[in-house]
Amino acid sequence: RASGTRPTLTSCSSITCAASASSPRTSLRPSGTRTSGPTTPIGFVRRGRVGCSPDSFIGKNRSVEAKTEKAALLYETLKRDEFPPQHKPQTQGQLWIAERDKTDLIIYARGMPLFYKQAGRDEFYIKRLKTAVDRAYDEIDVMVRRIKGYGIR
């Protein structure tokens, strides 16, 4: 697991929580899903200069990410029955930043069955992601110093 700066949680405002509590996006345990345990809506998780906003946490070691998808795309996702690779950067980043062990991915479209997959931490992938993020921040720092050197305030 990552060490160093502990993540800090920013709770969602009561307006945001009220809005999301009534939306299908946070109906994370509809009939037929295997997500277990009470979910806690999360506003934003910060770790140093990076942050993420998982949809919810379950207990102390799981995060939940819910996605909508067009029915035709969800049909293909359901047929493949694998964790969709396009969601790996976001979900592994959330596991890294929020120091979670597993993520539950739920994808839905109106009138379609829910897609559910759980994934654990991929430490090799997280290490590569962290390296890429650190490199991007190094480049940003150089640009900021250069701009400040121009005397623009």
Side-chain angles (χ1 to χ4, degrees), residues 39-132:
T39 59
T40 304
I42 299 301
F44 197 75
V45 179
R46 182 175 291 280
R47 171 185 293 288
R49 294 176 77 178
V50 297
C52 65
S53 56
D55 290 310
S56 293
F57 285 160
I58 299 175
K60 300 235 181 257
N61 72 343
R62 285 169 56 198
S63 65
V64 178
E65 188 60 35
K67 298 288 188 189
T68 60
E69 208 165 68
K70 290 182 178 180
L73 296 174
L74 180 53
Y75 172 76
E76 293 299 324
T77 300
L78 288 163
K79 273 187 4 183
R80 280 191 302 277
D81 195 32
E82 298 173 347
F83 198 96
Q86 67 269 29
H87 299 298
K88 187 171 184 173
Q90 180 182 11
T91 55
Q92 289 297 317
Q94 290 173 352
L95 293 177
W96 160 43
I97 293 164
E99 293 188 328
R100 298 278 153 159
D101 294 324
K102 295 179 183 175
T103 186
D104 292 0
L105 177 66
I106 299 168
I107 305 174
Y108 60 93
R110 185 173 298 201
M112 296 285 292
L114 290 171
F115 174 83
Y116 168 87
K117 281 292 176 195
Q118 188 176 85
R121 293 174 65 92
D122 180 338
E123 295 298 342
F124 179 75
Y125 187 90
I126 290 171
K127 183 177 180 181
R128 288 180 29 225
L129 183 61
K130 183 181 180 316
T131 299

Coordinates of all heavy atoms in Angstrom, one line a residue, residues 39-132:
T39 N -23.3 1.6 1.8 CA -22.4 2.5 1.1 C -22.4 3.9 1.7 O -23.4 4.3 2.3 CB -22.8 2.6 -0.4 OG1 -24.2 3.2 -0.4 CG2 -22.8 1.3 -1.1
T40 N -21.3 4.5 1.7 CA -21.1 5.9 2.2 C -20.8 6.8 1.0 O -19.7 6.6 0.4 CB -20.0 6.0 3.3 OG1 -20.2 5.0 4.3 CG2 -19.8 7.3 3.8
P41 N -21.6 7.8 0.7 CA -21.3 8.7 -0.4 C -20.1 9.5 -0.1 O -19.8 9.9 1.1 CB -22.5 9.6 -0.5 CG -23.6 8.9 0.2 CD -22.9 8.0 1.3
I42 N -19.2 9.7 -1.1 CA -18.0 10.4 -0.9 C -17.9 11.6 -1.8 O -18.3 11.5 -3.0 CB -16.8 9.5 -1.2 CG1 -16.8 8.3 -0.3 CG2 -15.4 10.2 -1.1 CD1 -16.7 8.6 1.2
G43 N -17.5 12.7 -1.3 CA -17.3 13.9 -2.1 C -16.0 13.9 -2.9 O -16.0 13.8 -4.1
F44 N -14.9 14.0 -2.1 CA -13.6 14.1 -2.8 C -12.6 13.5 -1.8 O -12.7 13.8 -0.6 CB -13.3 15.5 -3.1 CG -12.2 15.6 -4.1 CD1 -12.4 15.3 -5.5 CD2 -10.9 16.0 -3.7 CE1 -11.3 15.4 -6.4 CE2 -9.9 16.1 -4.6 CZ -10.1 15.8 -6.0
V45 N -11.6 12.8 -2.3 CA -10.5 12.2 -1.5 C -9.2 12.9 -2.0 O -9.0 12.8 -3.2 CB -10.4 10.7 -1.6 CG1 -9.3 10.2 -0.7 CG2 -11.7 10.0 -1.2
R46 N -8.5 13.5 -1.1 CA -7.2 14.1 -1.5 C -6.1 13.4 -0.8 O -6.1 13.1 0.3 CB -7.3 15.6 -1.1 CG -6.1 16.4 -1.5 CD -6.2 17.9 -1.2 NE -7.2 18.5 -2.0 CZ -7.0 18.9 -3.3 NH1 -5.9 18.7 -3.8 NH2 -8.0 19.5 -4.0
R47 N -5.0 13.3 -1.6 CA -3.7 12.7 -1.1 C -2.7 13.6 -1.7 O -2.3 13.5 -2.8 CB -3.5 11.3 -1.6 CG -2.1 10.8 -1.2 CD -1.8 9.4 -1.8 NE -2.6 8.4 -1.2 CZ -2.4 8.0 0.1 NH1 -1.4 8.5 0.8 NH2 -3.2 7.1 0.6
G48 N -2.2 14.6 -0.9 CA -1.2 15.5 -1.4 C -1.8 16.3 -2.5 O -2.8 16.9 -2.4
R49 N -1.1 16.3 -3.7 CA -1.6 17.0 -4.8 C -2.6 16.3 -5.7 O -3.1 16.9 -6.7 CB -0.3 17.4 -5.7 CG 0.6 18.3 -5.0 CD 1.9 18.6 -5.8 NE 1.6 19.5 -6.8 CZ 2.5 20.0 -7.7 NH1 3.7 19.5 -7.6 NH2 2.1 20.8 -8.6
V50 N -2.8 15.1 -5.4 CA -3.8 14.3 -6.2 C -5.1 14.1 -5.5 O -5.1 14.1 -4.2 CB -3.2 13.0 -6.7 CG1 -2.0 13.2 -7.6 CG2 -2.8 12.1 -5.5
G51 N -6.1 13.8 -6.2 CA -7.4 13.5 -5.6 C -8.3 12.7 -6.5 O -8.0 12.5 -7.7
C52 N -9.4 12.2 -5.9 CA -10.3 11.4 -6.7 C -11.7 11.5 -6.1 O -11.8 12.0 -4.9 CB -9.9 9.9 -6.8 SG -9.9 9.1 -5.2
S53 N -12.7 11.1 -6.8 CA -14.1 11.2 -6.3 C -14.8 9.9 -6.6 O -15.6 9.9 -7.5 CB -14.8 12.4 -6.8 OG -14.8 12.4 -8.2
P54 N -14.5 8.9 -5.8 CA -15.3 7.6 -6.0 C -16.8 7.9 -5.6 O -17.1 8.9 -4.9 CB -14.7 6.6 -5.0 CG -13.9 7.4 -4.1 CD -13.6 8.7 -4.7
D55 N -17.7 7.2 -6.2 CA -19.1 7.4 -5.9 C -19.4 7.1 -4.4 O -20.2 7.8 -3.8 CB -20.0 6.6 -6.8 CG -19.9 7.1 -8.2 OD1 -20.1 8.3 -8.4 OD2 -19.7 6.3 -9.2
S56 N -18.8 6.0 -3.9 CA -19.1 5.6 -2.5 C -18.0 4.7 -2.0 O -17.2 4.2 -2.8 CB -20.4 4.8 -2.4 OG -21.5 5.6 -2.7
F57 N -18.0 4.6 -0.7 CA -17.1 3.6 0.0 C -18.0 2.6 0.6 O -19.2 2.8 1.0 CB -16.3 4.2 1.1 CG -15.1 5.1 0.7 CD1 -14.6 6.0 1.5 CD2 -14.6 4.9 -0.6 CE1 -13.5 6.8 1.1 CE2 -13.5 5.7 -1.0 CZ -13.0 6.6 -0.1
I58 N -17.5 1.3 0.7 CA -18.2 0.3 1.5 C -17.1 -0.1 2.5 O -16.1 -0.6 2.2 CB -18.5 -0.9 0.6 CG1 -19.5 -0.5 -0.5 CG2 -19.1 -2.1 1.5 CD1 -19.8 -1.7 -1.5
G59 N -17.5 0.1 3.8 CA -16.6 -0.3 4.8 C -15.3 0.5 4.7 O -15.2 1.6 4.3
K60 N -14.2 -0.2 5.2 CA -12.9 0.5 5.2 C -12.0 0.1 4.0 O -10.9 0.7 3.9 CB -12.2 0.1 6.5 CG -12.9 0.5 7.7 CD -12.1 1.3 8.6 CE -12.8 1.7 9.9 NZ -13.2 3.1 9.9
N61 N -12.4 -0.9 3.2 CA -11.4 -1.3 2.2 C -12.0 -1.3 0.7 O -11.3 -1.8 -0.2 CB -10.8 -2.6 2.5 CG -11.8 -3.8 2.4 OD1 -13.0 -3.6 2.3 ND2 -11.3 -5.0 2.3
R62 N -13.2 -0.9 0.5 CA -13.8 -1.0 -0.8 C -14.3 0.4 -1.3 O -14.8 1.2 -0.5 CB -14.9 -2.0 -0.9 CG -14.4 -3.4 -0.9 CD -15.4 -4.4 -0.7 NE -16.5 -4.4 -1.6 CZ -17.6 -5.1 -1.4 NH1 -17.9 -5.7 -0.3 NH2 -18.6 -5.0 -2.3
S63 N -14.2 0.6 -2.6 CA -14.8 1.8 -3.2 C -15.8 1.3 -4.2 O -15.8 0.2 -4.7 CB -13.7 2.7 -3.9 OG -13.1 2.0 -4.9
V64 N -16.7 2.2 -4.6 CA -17.7 1.9 -5.6 C -17.7 2.9 -6.7 O -17.6 4.1 -6.4 CB -19.1 1.9 -5.0 CG1 -20.2 1.6 -6.0 CG2 -19.2 0.8 -3.8
E65 N -17.7 2.5 -7.9 CA -17.8 3.4 -9.0 C -19.0 3.0 -9.9 O -19.1 1.8 -10.3 CB -16.5 3.4 -9.9 CG -16.5 4.4 -10.9 CD -16.6 5.9 -10.4 OE1 -16.0 6.1 -9.3 OE2 -17.2 6.7 -11.1
A66 N -19.9 3.9 -10.1 CA -21.1 3.6 -10.9 C -21.1 4.4 -12.2 O -20.7 5.5 -12.2 CB -22.4 3.9 -10.2
K67 N -21.4 3.7 -13.3 CA -21.3 4.4 -14.6 C -22.6 4.1 -15.4 O -23.2 3.1 -15.2 CB -20.1 3.8 -15.5 CG -18.8 3.9 -14.9 CD -18.4 5.4 -15.0 CE -16.9 5.6 -14.6 NZ -16.6 7.0 -14.5
T68 N -22.9 5.1 -16.2 CA -24.0 4.8 -17.2 C -23.4 4.6 -18.5 O -22.2 5.0 -18.8 CB -24.9 6.1 -17.3 OG1 -24.2 7.2 -17.8 CG2 -25.6 6.4 -16.0
E69 N -24.1 3.8 -19.4 CA -23.5 3.5 -20.7 C -24.7 3.3 -21.6 O -25.8 2.9 -21.2 CB -22.8 2.2 -20.6 CG -21.7 2.0 -21.6 CD -20.7 0.8 -21.2 OE1 -21.2 -0.3 -21.3 OE2 -19.6 1.1 -20.9
K70 N -24.5 3.7 -22.9 CA -25.6 3.4 -23.8 C -25.9 1.9 -23.9 O -25.0 1.1 -23.7 CB -25.2 3.9 -25.2 CG -25.1 5.4 -25.3 CD -24.7 5.9 -26.7 CE -24.6 7.4 -26.8 NZ -24.3 7.8 -28.1
A71 N -27.1 1.6 -24.1 CA -27.6 0.2 -24.1 C -26.7 -0.7 -25.0 O -26.4 -1.8 -24.6 CB -29.1 0.1 -24.4
A72 N -26.4 -0.2 -26.2 CA -25.7 -1.0 -27.2 C -24.3 -1.3 -26.6 O -23.7 -2.4 -26.8 CB -25.6 -0.3 -28.5
L73 N -23.7 -0.3 -26.0 CA -22.3 -0.5 -25.4 C -22.4 -1.4 -24.2 O -21.5 -2.3 -24.0 CB -21.7 0.8 -25.0 CG -21.4 1.8 -26.2 CD1 -20.9 3.1 -25.7 CD2 -20.4 1.2 -27.1
L74 N -23.4 -1.2 -23.4 CA -23.6 -2.1 -22.2 C -23.8 -3.5 -22.6 O -23.3 -4.5 -22.0 CB -24.7 -1.6 -21.3 CG -25.0 -2.4 -20.0 CD1 -23.8 -2.6 -19.2 CD2 -26.1 -1.8 -19.2
Y75 N -24.6 -3.7 -23.7 CA -24.8 -5.1 -24.2 C -23.4 -5.8 -24.5 O -23.2 -6.9 -24.1 CB -25.6 -5.0 -25.5 CG -25.7 -6.4 -26.2 CD1 -26.6 -7.4 -25.7 CD2 -25.0 -6.6 -27.4 CE1 -26.7 -8.6 -26.3 CE2 -25.1 -7.8 -28.0 CZ -25.9 -8.8 -27.5 OH -26.0 -10.0 -28.1
E76 N -22.5 -5.0 -25.2 CA -21.2 -5.6 -25.5 C -20.4 -5.8 -24.2 O -19.7 -6.9 -24.1 CB -20.4 -4.6 -26.4 CG -21.0 -4.5 -27.8 CD -21.0 -5.8 -28.5 OE1 -20.1 -6.6 -28.4 OE2 -22.0 -6.0 -29.3
T77 N -20.5 -4.9 -23.2 CA -19.8 -5.1 -21.9 C -20.4 -6.4 -21.2 O -19.6 -7.2 -20.7 CB -20.0 -3.9 -21.0 OG1 -19.5 -2.7 -21.7 CG2 -19.4 -4.0 -19.7
L78 N -21.7 -6.5 -21.2 CA -22.3 -7.7 -20.6 C -21.8 -9.0 -21.3 O -21.5 -10.0 -20.6 CB -23.8 -7.6 -20.6 CG -24.4 -6.6 -19.7 CD1 -25.8 -6.3 -20.0 CD2 -24.3 -7.1 -18.2
K79 N -21.7 -9.0 -22.6 CA -21.3 -10.2 -23.4 C -19.8 -10.5 -23.0 O -19.5 -11.7 -22.8 CB -21.3 -9.9 -24.9 CG -22.7 -10.2 -25.5 CD -22.7 -10.1 -27.0 CE -21.5 -9.8 -27.8 NZ -21.7 -9.6 -29.2
R80 N -19.0 -9.5 -22.9 CA -17.5 -9.8 -22.6 C -17.4 -10.3 -21.1 O -16.5 -11.0 -20.9 CB -16.7 -8.5 -22.8 CG -16.4 -8.3 -24.3 CD -15.3 -7.2 -24.4 NE -15.7 -5.9 -23.9 CZ -16.5 -5.0 -24.5 NH1 -16.9 -5.3 -25.7 NH2 -16.8 -3.9 -23.9
D81 N -18.2 -9.7 -20.2 CA -18.2 -10.1 -18.8 C -16.8 -10.0 -18.2 O -16.4 -10.9 -17.4 CB -18.7 -11.6 -18.7 CG -19.1 -11.9 -17.2 OD1 -19.5 -10.9 -16.5 OD2 -18.9 -13.0 -16.8
E82 N -16.1 -8.9 -18.5 CA -14.8 -8.6 -18.0 C -14.8 -7.2 -17.5 O -15.5 -6.4 -18.0 CB -13.7 -8.8 -19.1 CG -13.6 -10.2 -19.6 CD -12.6 -10.2 -20.8 OE1 -12.2 -9.1 -21.3 OE2 -12.2 -11.3 -21.2
F83 N -13.9 -6.9 -16.6 CA -13.7 -5.5 -16.1 C -13.3 -4.7 -17.3 O -12.3 -4.9 -17.9 CB -12.7 -5.4 -15.0 CG -12.7 -4.2 -14.2 CD1 -13.4 -4.2 -13.0 CD2 -12.1 -3.0 -14.6 CE1 -13.5 -3.0 -12.2 CE2 -12.2 -1.9 -13.9 CZ -12.9 -1.8 -12.7
P84 N -14.1 -3.7 -17.7 CA -13.8 -2.9 -18.9 C -12.5 -2.1 -18.8 O -12.3 -1.4 -17.8 CB -15.0 -1.9 -19.0 CG -16.0 -2.5 -18.2 CD -15.4 -3.3 -17.1
P85 N -11.5 -2.3 -19.7 CA -10.2 -1.6 -19.6 C -10.3 -0.1 -19.5 O -9.4 0.5 -18.9 CB -9.4 -2.1 -20.8 CG -10.5 -2.6 -21.7 CD -11.7 -3.1 -20.9
Q86 N -11.3 0.5 -20.1 CA -11.4 1.9 -20.1 C -11.7 2.5 -18.7 O -11.5 3.7 -18.5 CB -12.5 2.4 -21.1 CG -13.9 2.1 -20.8 CD -14.4 0.8 -21.4 OE1 -13.6 -0.1 -21.6 NE2 -15.7 0.6 -21.6
H87 N -12.1 1.7 -17.8 CA -12.3 2.2 -16.4 C -11.2 1.9 -15.5 O -11.2 2.3 -14.3 CB -13.6 1.6 -15.9 CG -14.8 2.0 -16.7 ND1 -15.2 3.3 -16.8 CD2 -15.7 1.2 -17.4 CE1 -16.3 3.3 -17.6 NE2 -16.6 2.1 -18.0
K88 N -10.1 1.2 -16.0 CA -9.0 0.8 -15.1 C -8.2 2.0 -14.6 O -8.0 2.1 -13.4 CB -8.1 -0.2 -15.8 CG -7.0 -0.7 -14.9 CD -6.2 -1.8 -15.6 CE -5.2 -2.4 -14.6 NZ -4.5 -3.5 -15.1
P89 N -7.9 3.0 -15.4 CA -7.1 4.1 -14.9 C -7.9 4.8 -13.7 O -7.3 5.1 -12.7 CB -7.0 5.1 -16.0 CG -7.1 4.2 -17.2 CD -8.1 3.1 -16.9
Q90 N -9.2 5.1 -13.9 CA -9.9 5.8 -12.8 C -10.0 4.9 -11.6 O -9.8 5.4 -10.5 CB -11.3 6.1 -13.3 CG -12.1 6.8 -12.3 CD -13.6 7.1 -12.8 OE1 -14.0 6.7 -13.8 NE2 -14.2 8.0 -12.0
T91 N -10.4 3.7 -11.7 CA -10.7 2.8 -10.5 C -9.4 2.5 -9.8 O -9.3 2.5 -8.6 CB -11.5 1.6 -10.9 OG1 -10.8 0.8 -11.9 CG2 -12.9 1.9 -11.4
Q92 N -8.3 2.2 -10.6 CA -7.0 1.9 -9.9 C -6.4 3.2 -9.2 O -5.9 3.1 -8.2 CB -6.0 1.3 -10.9 CG -6.3 -0.1 -11.3 CD -6.3 -1.1 -10.1 OE1 -5.4 -1.0 -9.3 NE2 -7.2 -2.0 -10.1
G93 N -6.7 4.3 -9.9 CA -6.3 5.6 -9.3 C -7.0 5.8 -8.0 O -6.5 6.3 -7.0
Q94 N -8.3 5.5 -8.0 CA -9.1 5.6 -6.7 C -8.6 4.7 -5.6 O -8.5 5.1 -4.5 CB -10.6 5.4 -7.0 CG -11.2 6.5 -7.8 CD -12.6 6.1 -8.3 OE1 -13.1 5.0 -8.1 NE2 -13.3 7.1 -8.8
L95 N -8.2 3.5 -6.0 CA -7.7 2.6 -5.0 C -6.4 3.1 -4.4 O -6.1 3.0 -3.2 CB -7.5 1.2 -5.6 CG -8.8 0.4 -6.0 CD1 -8.4 -0.9 -6.7 CD2 -9.7 0.2 -4.8
W96 N -5.5 3.7 -5.3 CA -4.3 4.2 -4.9 C -4.5 5.4 -3.9 O -4.0 5.4 -2.8 CB -3.5 4.7 -6.1 CG -2.4 5.7 -5.8 CD1 -1.5 5.7 -4.8 CD2 -2.1 6.8 -6.7 NE1 -0.7 6.8 -4.9 CE2 -1.0 7.5 -6.1 CE3 -2.6 7.3 -7.8 CZ2 -0.5 8.7 -6.6 CZ3 -2.1 8.5 -8.4 CH2 -1.0 9.2 -7.8
I97 N -5.3 6.4 -4.4 CA -5.4 7.6 -3.6 C -6.2 7.4 -2.3 O -5.9 8.0 -1.3 CB -6.1 8.7 -4.5 CG1 -5.1 9.1 -5.6 CG2 -6.5 9.9 -3.7 CD1 -5.8 9.8 -6.8
A98 N -7.3 6.6 -2.4 CA -8.1 6.4 -1.2 C -7.6 5.3 -0.3 O -8.2 5.0 0.7 CB -9.6 6.2 -1.6
E99 N -6.5 4.6 -0.7 CA -6.0 3.5 0.0 C -7.0 2.4 0.3 O -7.2 1.9 1.4 CB -5.4 3.9 1.4 CG -4.1 4.8 1.2 CD -3.4 5.1 2.4 OE1 -4.1 5.2 3.5 OE2 -2.2 5.2 2.4
R100 N -7.7 2.0 -0.8 CA -8.7 0.9 -0.7 C -8.1 -0.4 -1.3 O -7.1 -0.3 -2.1 CB -9.9 1.3 -1.5 CG -10.6 2.5 -0.9 CD -11.4 2.1 0.3 NE -11.6 3.2 1.3 CZ -12.6 3.2 2.1 NH1 -13.5 2.2 2.1 NH2 -12.7 4.1 3.0
D101 N -8.6 -1.5 -1.0 CA -8.2 -2.8 -1.5 C -8.9 -3.3 -2.8 O -8.4 -4.0 -3.6 CB -8.2 -3.9 -0.5 CG -7.3 -3.6 0.7 OD1 -6.2 -3.1 0.5 OD2 -7.7 -3.9 1.9
K102 N -10.2 -2.9 -2.8 CA -11.1 -3.4 -3.9 C -12.0 -2.3 -4.4 O -12.3 -1.4 -3.6 CB -11.9 -4.6 -3.4 CG -11.1 -5.8 -3.1 CD -12.0 -6.9 -2.6 CE -11.2 -8.1 -2.2 NZ -12.0 -9.2 -1.6
T103 N -12.4 -2.4 -5.6 CA -13.4 -1.5 -6.2 C -14.5 -2.3 -6.8 O -14.3 -3.4 -7.4 CB -12.8 -0.6 -7.2 OG1 -13.8 0.4 -7.6 CG2 -12.3 -1.3 -8.4
D104 N -15.7 -1.9 -6.6 CA -16.9 -2.5 -7.2 C -17.3 -1.5 -8.4 O -17.6 -0.3 -8.1 CB -18.1 -2.6 -6.2 CG -17.8 -3.6 -5.1 OD1 -16.8 -4.2 -5.1 OD2 -18.7 -3.7 -4.3
L105 N -17.4 -2.1 -9.6 CA -17.8 -1.3 -10.7 C -19.2 -1.7 -11.1 O -19.4 -2.9 -11.3 CB -16.8 -1.5 -11.9 CG -17.2 -0.8 -13.2 CD1 -17.2 0.8 -13.0 CD2 -16.3 -1.2 -14.3
I106 N -20.1 -0.8 -11.2 CA -21.5 -1.1 -11.6 C -21.8 -0.2 -12.8 O -21.5 1.0 -12.8 CB -22.5 -0.7 -10.5 CG1 -22.2 -1.6 -9.3 CG2 -23.9 -0.9 -11.0 CD1 -22.9 -1.2 -8.0
I107 N -22.2 -0.8 -13.9 CA -22.6 -0.1 -15.1 C -24.0 -0.4 -15.4 O -24.5 -1.6 -15.4 CB -21.7 -0.5 -16.3 CG1 -20.2 -0.3 -15.9 CG2 -22.0 0.4 -17.5 CD1 -19.2 -0.8 -17.0
Y108 N -24.8 0.6 -15.8 CA -26.2 0.4 -16.1 C -26.7 1.3 -17.2 O -26.1 2.3 -17.6 CB -27.0 0.7 -14.8 CG -26.9 2.1 -14.3 CD1 -27.8 3.1 -14.7 CD2 -25.9 2.4 -13.4 CE1 -27.7 4.4 -14.2 CE2 -25.8 3.7 -12.9 CZ -26.7 4.7 -13.3 OH -26.5 5.9 -12.9
A109 N -27.8 0.8 -17.8 CA -28.5 1.6 -18.8 C -30.0 1.2 -18.6 O -30.3 0.1 -18.2 CB -28.1 1.2 -20.2
R110 N -30.8 2.2 -18.8 CA -32.3 2.0 -18.6 C -32.7 0.8 -19.4 O -32.4 0.6 -20.6 CB -33.0 3.2 -19.1 CG -34.5 3.1 -18.8 CD -35.2 4.4 -19.1 NE -34.6 5.4 -18.1 CZ -35.1 6.5 -17.8 NH1 -36.3 6.9 -18.3 NH2 -34.6 7.4 -17.0
G111 N -33.4 -0.1 -18.7 CA -34.0 -1.3 -19.4 C -33.1 -2.4 -19.6 O -33.4 -3.4 -20.2
M112 N -31.8 -2.3 -19.1 CA -30.8 -3.3 -19.3 C -30.4 -3.9 -18.0 O -30.6 -3.3 -16.9 CB -29.5 -2.7 -19.9 CG -29.7 -2.2 -21.3 SD -29.8 -3.4 -22.6 CE -28.2 -4.2 -22.6
P113 N -29.9 -5.2 -18.0 CA -29.4 -5.8 -16.7 C -28.2 -5.0 -16.3 O -27.5 -4.4 -17.1 CB -29.0 -7.2 -17.1 CG -29.5 -7.4 -18.5 CD -29.8 -6.1 -19.1
L114 N -28.0 -5.0 -15.0 CA -26.8 -4.3 -14.4 C -25.5 -5.1 -14.7 O -25.6 -6.3 -14.7 CB -26.9 -4.1 -12.9 CG -27.9 -3.1 -12.4 CD1 -28.1 -3.2 -10.9 CD2 -27.5 -1.7 -12.8
F115 N -24.4 -4.4 -15.0 CA -23.1 -5.1 -15.1 C -22.4 -4.8 -13.8 O -22.4 -3.7 -13.3 CB -22.3 -4.5 -16.2 CG -20.9 -5.0 -16.3 CD1 -20.6 -6.2 -16.9 CD2 -19.9 -4.3 -15.7 CE1 -19.3 -6.7 -17.0 CE2 -18.6 -4.8 -15.8 CZ -18.3 -6.0 -16.4
Y116 N -21.8 -5.8 -13.2 CA -21.1 -5.7 -11.9 C -19.8 -6.5 -12.0 O -19.8 -7.7 -12.4 CB -21.9 -6.2 -10.7 CG -21.1 -6.3 -9.5 CD1 -20.9 -5.3 -8.6 CD2 -20.5 -7.5 -9.1 CE1 -20.2 -5.4 -7.5 CE2 -19.7 -7.7 -8.0 CZ -19.6 -6.6 -7.2 OH -18.8 -6.7 -6.0
K117 N -18.7 -5.8 -11.7 CA -17.4 -6.5 -11.5 C -16.7 -5.9 -10.4 O -16.8 -4.7 -10.1 CB -16.5 -6.4 -12.8 CG -16.9 -7.3 -13.9 CD -16.6 -8.7 -13.6 CE -17.1 -9.6 -14.7 NZ -17.2 -11.0 -14.3
Q118 N -15.9 -6.7 -9.7 CA -15.0 -6.2 -8.6 C -13.6 -6.4 -9.0 O -13.3 -7.4 -9.7 CB -15.3 -7.0 -7.3 CG -14.6 -6.4 -6.1 CD -15.0 -7.1 -4.9 OE1 -14.4 -8.2 -4.5 NE2 -16.0 -6.6 -4.1
A119 N -12.8 -5.5 -8.7 CA -11.3 -5.6 -9.0 C -10.5 -5.2 -7.8 O -10.9 -4.4 -7.0 CB -10.9 -4.7 -10.2
G120 N -9.4 -5.9 -7.6 CA -8.5 -5.6 -6.6 C -7.4 -4.6 -7.0 O -7.4 -4.3 -8.2
R121 N -6.5 -4.3 -6.1 CA -5.4 -3.4 -6.4 C -4.5 -4.1 -7.4 O -4.1 -5.2 -7.2 CB -4.7 -3.0 -5.2 CG -5.5 -2.1 -4.2 CD -4.7 -1.9 -2.9 NE -3.5 -1.2 -3.1 CZ -3.4 0.2 -3.0 NH1 -4.5 0.9 -2.7 NH2 -2.3 0.8 -3.2
D122 N -4.0 -3.3 -8.4 CA -3.0 -3.8 -9.3 C -1.8 -2.9 -9.0 O -1.6 -1.8 -9.5 CB -3.4 -3.6 -10.7 CG -2.4 -4.1 -11.8 OD1 -1.2 -4.1 -11.4 OD2 -2.8 -4.3 -12.9
E123 N -0.9 -3.4 -8.1 CA 0.2 -2.6 -7.6 C 1.1 -2.2 -8.7 O 1.6 -1.0 -8.6 CB 1.0 -3.3 -6.4 CG 0.1 -3.6 -5.2 CD -0.4 -2.3 -4.5 OE1 0.2 -1.2 -4.7 OE2 -1.3 -2.5 -3.7
F124 N 1.4 -3.0 -9.6 CA 2.3 -2.6 -10.8 C 1.7 -1.5 -11.5 O 2.3 -0.5 -11.9 CB 2.5 -3.9 -11.7 CG 3.4 -3.6 -12.8 CD1 4.8 -3.4 -12.7 CD2 2.8 -3.4 -14.1 CE1 5.6 -3.1 -13.8 CE2 3.6 -3.1 -15.2 CZ 5.0 -3.0 -15.0
Y125 N 0.4 -1.6 -11.8 CA -0.3 -0.5 -12.6 C -0.3 0.8 -11.8 O -0.1 1.8 -12.3 CB -1.8 -1.0 -12.9 CG -2.5 0.0 -13.8 CD1 -2.4 -0.2 -15.2 CD2 -3.2 1.0 -13.3 CE1 -3.1 0.7 -16.0 CE2 -3.9 1.9 -14.1 CZ -3.8 1.7 -15.5 OH -4.5 2.6 -16.3
I126 N -0.6 0.7 -10.5 CA -0.7 1.8 -9.6 C 0.7 2.5 -9.6 O 0.8 3.8 -9.6 CB -1.2 1.5 -8.2 CG1 -2.7 1.1 -8.2 CG2 -0.9 2.6 -7.2 CD1 -3.3 0.5 -7.0
K127 N 1.7 1.7 -9.5 CA 3.1 2.3 -9.5 C 3.3 3.1 -10.8 O 3.9 4.2 -10.8 CB 4.1 1.2 -9.3 CG 5.6 1.7 -9.2 CD 6.5 0.6 -8.9 CE 7.9 1.2 -8.9 NZ 8.9 0.2 -8.6
R128 N 3.0 2.5 -11.9 CA 3.1 3.2 -13.2 C 2.3 4.5 -13.3 O 2.7 5.5 -13.8 CB 2.8 2.3 -14.4 CG 3.8 1.2 -14.6 CD 3.6 0.2 -15.7 NE 2.8 0.7 -16.8 CZ 1.8 0.1 -17.4 NH1 1.4 -1.1 -17.0 NH2 1.1 0.6 -18.4
L129 N 1.0 4.4 -12.8 CA 0.1 5.5 -12.7 C 0.7 6.7 -11.9 O 0.8 7.8 -12.3 CB -1.2 5.1 -12.2 CG -2.3 6.2 -12.2 CD1 -2.6 6.7 -13.6 CD2 -3.6 5.5 -11.5
K130 N 1.2 6.3 -10.7 CA 1.8 7.3 -9.8 C 3.0 8.0 -10.5 O 3.2 9.2 -10.4 CB 2.2 6.7 -8.5 CG 2.8 7.7 -7.5 CD 3.2 7.0 -6.2 CE 3.7 8.0 -5.2 NZ 4.7 9.0 -5.7
T131 N 3.9 7.2 -11.1 CA 5.0 7.7 -11.8 C 4.6 8.7 -12.9 O 5.2 9.8 -13.1 CB 5.9 6.6 -12.5 OG1 6.3 5.7 -11.4 CG2 7.0 7.1 -13.2
A132 N 3.6 8.4 -13.7 CA 3.1 9.3 -14.7 C 2.5 10.5 -14.1 O 2.7 11.6 -14.7 CB 2.0 8.5 -15.6

